[in-house]
Amino acid sequence: MSLFGTNGVRGIANEELTAEMALDLGRVIATLKSGRIAVACDTRISSFMLKSAVLAGIMSAGCDAIDLGIAPTPALQFYAKNKRVAGVVVTASHNPREYNGIKFVQENGAEFFREMDMESERIYNSKTFRVAKWNEVGSMVRDDCIEPYVSAIAESVSLERKFRVVVDCGNGAGSFTTPEILKRLDCEVYGINCNPDGRFPARNPEPVESELELLKKAVVDFRADLGVAHDGDADRAVFVNEKGEFISEDAMLALMAKHYVEKNGGGIVVTPVSSSRCVEDAVREAGGEVVYTAVGSPVVAKVMLEKKAVFGGEGNGGLIFPEHLLARDGGMSVAKVLGLMDESGKRISELISEIPRYYMLKGKVACRDKEKVIKGLRELFPEANHADGARIEFEDGWLLIRPSGTEPIARIYAEGKTKKRAEELYKEGLSIIKKLLD
Ligand code: MG
């Protein structure tokens, strides 16, 4: 099994991800890169331990380290881009409290792409990292990535209207940035769970609808225009409308994609094959084109760079604004959504109601032989998109069959104009896998 997953290394702290591993991972990035390397972490209890080990590893391999303290992942990435330095984030993003993770960042602010992670893993496994002589060991300075990030976002949007916004940072790293961004945009801000706390006492770091009852209620009680919640490292943002209703992440992705295509008079939008058809509908209607990738934010960013895309993102609240940063950015998402509300003069529920609606079903099924299924899918559906499994398009929906790389399962996604159609397509997916495994 590989150490690096879709978003770097993840695992339960001190069991699957230890201080020793963090030390070696610090050495790995310092072997791949020269010059200074910036490191930040989220609010998790194990983050200081792991960050200290990463910093030690970087210095032991002869690079100078920059300790940025606690910061959202996009704040570190923005710093990396502006200072042209590589970076490391210690975070498990949306995973439960016992987890942590280590993710590498390029000098352009993007996450390491797949092939770079593979090279890192090779150095990690072979332990062929650089070891500096006693007098060539690196030094360390502290710096701040919060203020430049907050001010860049606040300056990128100007609002005519005064909005009332409730923000739920889930006790994560966004507590240091999003309330301040909103204040600088002259919003009336109500913060819940905006005190950093690595025990995550209020809710799980993943901002799924069932975790956001308090936010929904607060939006109604305070008669707010918008509610927003982040995951633990605030690269994702999910929203609640002025009626206290959760907004589907796919619909928000479609809305912002459409807005960017309209603003640019066309252009390419990049999203994984798992995203709703509503994104493609909205983008096409605005005169743009969708390019599908495999699942995972690094590959979305990579293809955005290659295709010079105007916008990109995932259907989980991860939106990418390429003129700002080639990475998901929760703080920028809030600012841009408010910018669109201001520009259009419409409420968020009105804007979202203009996005076509679909019903999506997701599930998984046992799949012992990944290669066989992939080969079979290519033969059976040569016309499908094979970026990640097979996405098969129908007039009124689509079906994605995606064998997992790490578990003996295949994921099935089915989407239709009606719930009934989605169920039919899902059943179709089950029978295709069964046939391919026979
Ligand atoms: Mg995250």
Side-chain angles (χ1 to χ4, degrees):
M1 218 184 98
S2 65
L3 178 69
F4 282 78
T6 316
N7 290 96
V9 180
R10 287 273 171 89
I12 296 173
N14 255 5
E15 290 178 26
E16 295 157 336
L17 178 55
T18 61
E20 289 86 345
M21 291 168 75
L23 182 77
D24 280 355
L25 286 165
R27 289 168 166 154
V28 167
I29 191 165
T31 301
L32 284 167
K33 303 289 180 183
S34 53
R36 300 177 305 154
I37 298 169
V39 186
C41 66
D42 65 16
T43 60
R44 286 165 197 272
I45 290 169
S46 57
S47 284
F48 277 125
M49 173 190 80
L50 294 171
K51 180 173 65 116
S52 304
V54 170
L55 289 165
I58 289 169
M59 290 184 273
S60 81
C63 281
D64 292 334
I66 308 168
D67 182 3
L68 297 173
I70 301 178
T73 297
L76 170 123
Q77 290 178 287
F78 189 67
Y79 182 95
K81 178 189 164 188
N82 288 329
K83 302 277 185 185
R84 304 295 302 168
V85 296
V88 182
V89 202
V90 176
T91 178
S93 185
H94 60 277
N95 287 140
R97 39 184 79 70
E98 63 272 24
Y99 282 79
N100 217 323
I102 289 175
K103 180 158 83 174
F104 292 163
V105 172
Q106 307 177 47
E107 298 88 336
N108 62 2
E111 294 167 68
F112 264 36
F113 298 150
R114 189 72 190 149
E115 62 276 15
M116 300 171 187
D117 274 349
M118 291 300 94
E119 174 67 3
S120 305
E121 186 155 337
R122 196 188 58 71
I123 296 171
Y124 178 90
N125 286 331
S126 62
K127 294 194 180 286
T128 48
F129 11 77
R130 232 169 18 212
V131 180
K133 276 195 198 131
W134 69 271
N135 57 352
E136 283 164 5
V137 164
S139 63
M140 192 188 89
V141 292
R142 292 199 168 83
D143 203 0
D144 168 48
C145 67
I146 301 283
E147 175 54 34
Y149 170 77
V150 165
S151 59
I153 293 177
E155 280 160 23
S156 72
V157 174
S158 71
L159 304 176
E160 297 282 322
R161 283 155 69 194
K162 190 173 176 73
F163 291 102
R164 194 177 287 178
V165 183
V166 185
V167 52
D168 176 353
C169 291
N171 306 106
S175 309
F176 293 96
T177 49
T178 296
E180 183 60 27
I181 290 167
L182 291 167
K183 273 178 215 156
R184 294 203 198 172
L185 291 173
D186 207 22
C187 295
E188 199 178 314
V189 192
Y190 295 89
I192 50 179
N193 309 321
C194 290
N195 53 318
D197 189 334
R199 297 166 301 163
F200 300 116
R203 64 164 170 88
N204 274 313
E206 181 154 32
V208 291
E209 182 176 2
S210 57
E211 298 278 351
L212 304 178
E213 290 308 317
L214 186 61
L215 175 66
K216 290 198 255 181
K217 187 175 180 307
V219 166
V220 174
D221 288 351
F222 293 127
R223 284 183 291 158
D225 301 291
L226 187 70
V228 57
H230 291 306
D231 68 333
D233 64 329
D235 57 350
R236 284 162 52 181
V238 302
F239 295 89
V240 166
N241 72 17
E242 76 283 357
K243 298 170 198 165
E245 296 160 350
F246 186 78
I247 298 171
S248 116
E249 297 95 326
D250 274 312
M252 188 53 94
L253 171 63
L255 177 67
M256 295 312 287
K258 177 179 140 196
H259 173 55
Y260 265 72
V261 169
E262 280 169 354
K263 221 176 58 171
N264 285 280
I268 288 172
V269 169
V270 179
T271 196
V273 282
S274 52
S275 292
S276 166
R277 169 81 66 86
C278 72
V279 179
E280 192 171 331
D281 287 354
V283 166
R284 276 202 184 161
E285 198 200 310
E289 190 196 326
V290 166
V291 172
Y292 288 109
T293 67
V295 172
S297 56
V299 65
V300 174
K302 184 178 183 219
V303 174
M304 284 178 72
L305 188 65
E306 287 165 1
K307 303 273 181 191
K308 297 189 171 57
V310 295
F311 191 76
E314 303 173 304
N316 61 6
L319 306 181
I320 304 176
F321 305 87
E323 76 283 11
H324 160 69
L325 186 64
L326 212 55
R328 297 172 297 186
D329 192 328
M332 185 57 107
S333 302
V334 190
K336 290 290 182 186
V337 168
L338 287 168
L340 175 57
M341 289 162 67
D342 193 61
E343 221 174 287
S344 65
K346 292 177 182 169
R347 286 191 286 266
I348 191 63
S349 63
E350 290 175 83
L351 287 164
I352 289 291
S353 71
E354 292 163 12
I355 299 298
R357 229 182 126 183
Y358 288 90
Y359 294 84
M360 201 193 291
L361 286 174
K362 296 179 196 177
K364 53 191 174 186
V365 54
C367 173
R368 299 159 267 109
D369 195 341
K370 181 189 171 185
E371 297 311 320
K372 193 175 175 188
V373 170
I374 287 182
K375 188 164 168 279
L377 286 169
R378 283 185 187 275
E379 284 166 10
L380 266 180
F381 305 100
E383 300 295 306
N385 185 310
H386 295 279
D388 198 346
R391 175 168 167 143
I392 308 145
E393 301 287 344
F394 298 88
E395 188 64 42
D396 54 353
W398 55 272
L399 172 64
L400 172 67
I401 300 172
R402 195 164 76 82
S404 164
T406 52
E407 297 167 87
I409 56 161
R411 294 183 198 280
I412 302 174
Y413 301 65
E415 192 181 63
K417 265 281 167 205
T418 60
K419 195 167 165 228
K420 186 169 162 279
R421 183 61 181 141
E423 283 165 358
E424 278 171 22
L425 287 169
Y426 191 87
K427 274 187 205 136
E428 177 75 21
L430 286 173
S431 73
I432 290 169
I433 291 183
K434 194 160 175 280
K435 196 160 64 186
L436 289 175
L437 283 172
D438 260 353

